[in-house]
Amino acid sequence: MTTSVNQELQELAESVFGDAASSDTGFDAALWRTLEETGLARLTLPAGAGGSEGTLEDAAVVLAAAGAHAARVPLVETDLLAGWLLHAAGVPLPDGPLTAVAGELEVDGTTVRGELRRVPWARAVAGVAVLTGAHVVLLDPGAAEITEGTNLAEEPRDTVRVDGPAAAVVAAPDGVAAELRLRGALGRALLLAGAARGALAAGVRYAGERVQFGRPIGRFQAVQQQLALAAGEVAAASAAASAAARAAADAGFAAPSTRLAVAAAKSRTGEAAGAVARIAHQVHGAIGFTREHDLRLWTTRLWAWREEDGSDAEWNAELGSTVLAAGPSGLWPLITGS
């Protein structure tokens, strides 16, 4: 349901991310400052953690806009993951962007050692929250060895090596591992839905500009049909991601209905990612594959993000297991929530 409040939030988010849109790579420090000034950087965190006390449905609106404009900031990592994890564990949050990862580290008192791979945005953040075994660890990136890496969309996915005292080591609260996994999948699904919308918009725009045989290619029925199929995929992905955010806001991440909704959202947005990227490139032709063309900003994110926070196969398997466990008599109540 669209309310006047999240309509205003959507307009703000579209304005902020639209003004910052560029074809550059790497962390966008200016955009991050704007997100902090507008209260969007830590939207769902409590005021005591420097947050704006928004809901997960509010976060859905903002993250979809971030994906649609290919924003270069660790918004999911700061708000939904690291900020939540550190606050839940009672660790004061550092100022600035954060990131989070689940991994294996040796913990001996406050000393930690080990290697974490593919840590999002590690080179750009003020703190790395790590869920390792029974501990929540806060690392200072300045005290770690960071080897830079990227995903297909050229977003930072770094290797972090640490051997020394951590900024904080505390016991992990019960249930945080399962919730961290679901939060990551939900955030990625919302970004995927937004990126699919961005790729579709680029395809529609190009179909109106590119002239072939004396008229824009968007007037050819074959092109119209492909764009209509992509629009259907974007609508389905957006609905699934928004429904998962609503389920988490209403029932919490521990509820079986939320686990099902998040699994469906990550699976459905991953499926849409492949279809929308394919159609967008077909409409653009060869120029869409060049580095100089902005289409890559969305399609490379679609391809990279569908494999992050659980692949399609992983979430499809979880969905299948849930349906089989419900049995014939439980299928309809499972789908409808009745």
Side-chain angles (χ1 to χ4, degrees):
M1 177 183 294
T2 300
T3 67
S4 60
V5 175
N6 60 28
Q7 179 65 40
E8 292 176 4
L9 182 61
Q10 183 175 25
E11 292 173 0
L12 172 63
E14 293 287 344
S15 173
V16 168
F17 293 120
D19 290 346
S22 79
S23 58
D24 292 340
T25 59
F27 178 63
D28 188 340
L31 173 57
W32 189 260
R33 286 194 296 272
T34 302
L35 293 173
E36 290 189 324
E37 291 167 359
T38 54
L40 299 180
R42 300 185 178 193
L43 183 61
T44 65
L45 295 178
S52 303
E53 300 192 339
T55 68
L56 287 168
E57 288 183 274
D58 295 332
V61 170
V62 174
L63 291 175
H69 293 285
R72 297 179 286 113
V73 288
L75 198 52
V76 169
E77 291 80 1
T78 298
D79 186 27
L80 293 192
L81 302 180
W84 163 79
L85 180 61
L86 293 173
H87 181 68
V91 178
L93 274 62
D95 294 333
L98 305 170
T99 192
V101 64
E104 295 296 328
L105 293 177
E106 293 180 35
V107 179
D108 182 8
T110 60
T111 299
V112 296
R113 61 181 60 86
E115 179 179 285
L116 303 164
R117 296 183 178 179
R118 299 191 64 76
V119 181
W121 303 96
R123 76 192 72 164
V125 299
V128 180
V130 185
L131 179 61
T132 177
H135 298 92
V136 172
V137 174
L138 174 61
L139 299 177
D140 176 1
E145 177 186 346
I146 296 178
T147 303
E148 296 187 357
T150 63
N151 64 10
L152 185 62
E154 301 180 77
E155 293 181 310
R157 297 294 185 265
D158 302 327
T159 297
V160 177
R161 296 181 183 86
V162 59
D163 186 0
V169 179
V170 299
D174 292 339
V176 291
E179 182 164 342
L180 185 67
R181 176 174 178 260
L182 289 175
R183 282 175 169 267
L186 174 61
R188 200 62 59 192
L190 291 164
L191 289 173
L192 276 166
R197 175 160 62 89
L200 172 63
V204 172
R205 187 165 52 247
Y206 185 76
E209 297 170 349
R210 177 75 167 92
V211 175
Q212 188 71 30
F213 305 116
R215 55 180 175 168
I217 61 172
R219 293 186 183 178
F220 291 99
Q221 190 175 38
V223 175
Q224 293 172 356
Q225 181 191 30
Q226 290 301 304
L227 290 173
L229 290 172
E233 291 293 324
V234 171
S238 299
S242 297
R246 187 163 54 251
D250 291 345
F253 281 94
S257 58
T258 300
R259 293 200 297 272
L260 179 70
V262 171
K266 186 60 171 66
S267 175
R268 189 62 187 88
T269 53
E271 180 181 347
V276 173
R278 173 177 54 79
I279 291 171
H281 277 290
Q282 287 175 337
V283 170
H284 279 79
I287 194 172
F289 287 95
T290 62
R291 181 171 179 76
E292 289 72 19
H293 200 283
D294 284 348
L295 181 61
R296 67 177 171 81
L297 299 176
W298 298 286
T299 56
T300 56
R301 281 171 170 77
L302 289 172
W303 290 322
W305 289 347
R306 73 180 296 184
E307 299 300 325
E308 296 183 341
D309 296 293
S311 65
D312 295 1
E314 179 179 335
W315 289 107
N316 285 339
E318 183 156 330
L319 277 174
S321 299
T322 303
V323 169
L324 289 173
S329 61
L331 180 58
W332 185 248
L334 185 69
I335 295 173
T336 61
S338 59

